[in-house]
Amino acid sequence: MHPVVKPALRRGWRDLNTVQFGMTPAQALTLGPVDTATGSFLELLDGTRGLELLRAQGPRMDLPGNQVDRLVRRLARAGLLDDARGGGPAADALREKREVMERLGPDLASLTLTTSEPGEALRRLAARRETRVQVRGAGRVGSVLAALLSGAGVGGVEVRDVGQVEPWDVTPGGLPAEAVGERREAAVRRIVRRAAPDRPPRRAERPRLSADTPCFSLVVLAPRDDVAVHAPDPVSAEPLLASGTPHLYAGVVEGTGVVGPLVLPGETGCAGCLQQHRTDRDPVWPRLVAQWRSGRKHRMTACDLALATTVAGLAAAHVLAFLDGRLPSSAGARWEVALPGLDWHARRVLAHPACPCGAAEKGKGEHTSGQGRSHETMAVHGPPEGSLHEAHAQRPAGTWRAHV
């Protein structure tokens, strides 16, 4: 282990004996009292020294070798340390790609803030390169979403859609103006390639996947049709439910942005559950949906550019959280935000007993995201002159893991 105090956490001294790591309430913690020897030793935790060298230098700073081990161990438990050489073989291979690491540096720094195990952040970043995500829909939301996922290091991003790029599809960060008239899939495929910090090694055993092949870590349904956003068709998701493929809904309808639900087949409410609950509350709901779906197609639907980009960004964040092994708050819920107030709120999507998805039968229809921080208080003792204490550890939330 080559311990390094997480560089993403800004450090400041609250007084002569107390140091604060982090600025925001979600991350900040204080350590104190910190004596001079311990404060100087913290400066050595920069990732350039292994434990053996740190043990050798400790006595020169009035820190015996056993105190060095205890301090490093407890700082790691507090979530303050990373391992500059940790993460396993895949992480080692990624470290060798200097340009890729420079591109993904901010993403890696962010991951260190949500992981507590030294070396875990780079391991998860490297694992993204082996995941495959399919985005169904290449409009203002889907194209930006696909580019974001690719730029964040997801190794396989496939986009499925039909038709040609229209002038109103052009979006900063998504489809460019020069793509108008091209096939949607071809245009977005080029965007995904350009956004990627690096193309991971191609696996010989991976064939090209069709739209219904259940070999994705996650499928995002981002339709350009606003009716499909507001009232997703349960039939279109049946192959995903049957194959156990997690899927997330996202889109814009009449000035309202929607992210969710994230459907974990057999565990959280799905599009069919959403439809059943709406019908229970409003018996004429199926009649309205049938009219919306069969009515005259609108040539131009309402899709505010800034709102669509916001939805794409939030959806991408939820996808990445899931791929990194966490359970985002969209599991069993739809996050909605409407113009002009732009107040986000969540609408729960509970499992419905009449839905064939089976989530209600398993009693997991109220699956929660595990939000919030789990804290552990510990004493991190320094040399006889002083000590460190009150270090709060953050633990990962969620247990559902994406398939690689």
Side-chain angles (χ1 to χ4, degrees):
M1 180 179 178
H2 283 63
V4 52
V5 176
K6 293 179 178 179
L9 293 173
R10 292 197 180 261
R11 188 187 315 180
W13 290 87
R14 300 183 63 86
D15 53 45
L16 293 177
N17 300 306
T18 307
V19 60
Q20 176 174 319
F21 293 89
M23 298 183 291
T24 62
Q27 302 297 336
L29 58 84
T30 60
L31 297 174
V34 180
D35 57 43
T36 302
T38 303
S40 299
F41 181 78
L42 290 176
E43 299 295 334
L44 301 182
L45 302 179
D46 58 5
T48 62
R49 302 169 180 85
L51 286 176
E52 289 296 330
L53 184 55
L54 289 172
R55 294 189 189 104
Q57 292 183 324
R60 303 172 189 171
M61 309 176 72
D62 296 326
L63 285 173
N66 62 334
Q67 292 286 3
V68 168
D69 286 336
R70 291 177 59 193
L71 181 60
V72 169
R73 182 170 59 252
R74 291 176 179 177
L75 288 174
R77 289 179 56 196
L80 276 174
L81 292 187
D82 197 9
D83 184 356
R85 298 188 182 181
D92 291 337
L94 189 54
R95 286 190 188 90
E96 298 298 323
K97 298 179 178 293
R98 180 177 177 181
E99 293 184 359
V100 177
M101 290 296 293
E102 290 177 347
R103 281 278 302 273
L104 295 176
D107 301 271
L108 176 60
S110 179
L111 279 171
T112 65
L113 300 180
T114 58
T115 55
S116 56
E117 185 71 21
E120 179 68 9
L122 190 56
R123 188 194 68 79
R124 293 191 180 190
L125 190 63
R128 288 183 185 179
R129 290 161 50 83
E130 297 298 323
T131 58
R132 296 178 66 81
V133 175
Q134 185 183 72
V135 179
R136 299 184 182 180
R140 285 190 163 190
V141 173
S143 61
V144 175
L145 172 61
L148 288 172
L149 294 177
S150 180
V154 177
V157 179
E158 179 180 301
V159 183
R160 302 303 296 252
D161 206 339
V162 296
Q164 297 179 337
V165 178
E166 303 291 349
W168 49 84
D169 293 320
V170 173
T171 311
L175 290 164
E178 55 268 24
V180 173
E182 294 185 28
R183 288 178 55 251
R184 288 183 183 275
E185 287 190 3
V188 178
R189 193 179 305 124
R190 187 165 57 252
I191 294 172
V192 168
R193 286 198 303 266
R194 289 177 178 175
D198 178 51
R199 301 193 66 181
R202 182 182 298 274
R203 288 184 176 179
E205 66 272 18
R206 278 182 177 172
R208 174 171 173 78
L209 302 178
S210 66
D212 297 323
T213 302
C215 295
F216 296 99
S217 301
L218 182 72
V219 171
V220 183
L221 297 100
R224 291 179 286 114
D225 176 23
D226 56 355
V227 177
V229 174
H230 188 55
D233 186 4
V235 176
S236 64
E238 287 180 353
L240 299 174
L241 291 172
S243 64
T245 304
H247 47 287
L248 174 70
Y249 293 88
V252 174
V253 50
E254 294 182 349
T256 296
V258 179
V259 176
L262 168 63
V263 180
L264 309 179
E267 294 194 27
T268 63
C270 66
C273 297
L274 177 64
Q275 177 177 271
Q276 293 283 356
H277 282 298
R278 281 173 164 174
T279 302
D280 290 345
R281 294 192 301 268
D282 184 2
V284 303
W285 175 259
R287 183 188 308 166
L288 289 172
V289 174
Q291 294 177 69
W292 294 334
R293 289 175 179 165
S294 61
R296 181 168 59 88
K297 296 292 183 181
H298 287 274
R299 174 176 171 79
M300 194 67 64
T301 58
C303 187
D304 181 83
L305 180 60
L307 180 60
T309 305
T310 300
V311 168
L314 183 62
H318 281 238
V319 170
L320 293 172
F322 177 77
L323 296 179
D324 292 338
R326 300 181 181 276
L327 198 59
S329 59
S330 55
R334 277 165 62 104
W335 282 96
E336 299 180 359
V337 60
L339 298 172
L342 298 174
D343 293 324
W344 284 100
H345 61 274
R347 298 184 184 276
R348 301 180 70 187
V349 181
L350 300 179
H352 195 283
C355 183
C357 72
E361 297 176 5
K362 294 185 179 181
K364 297 181 180 179
E366 297 188 21
H367 209 301
T368 60
S369 65
Q371 282 185 308
R373 301 181 67 194
S374 297
H375 290 66
E376 178 184 4
T377 302
M378 66 190 73
V380 185
H381 299 291
E385 299 86 3
S387 65
L388 308 180
H389 67 271
E390 298 277 292
H392 301 286
Q394 176 177 304
R395 296 178 179 174
T399 56
W400 186 284
R401 298 302 296 246
H403 298 290
V404 178

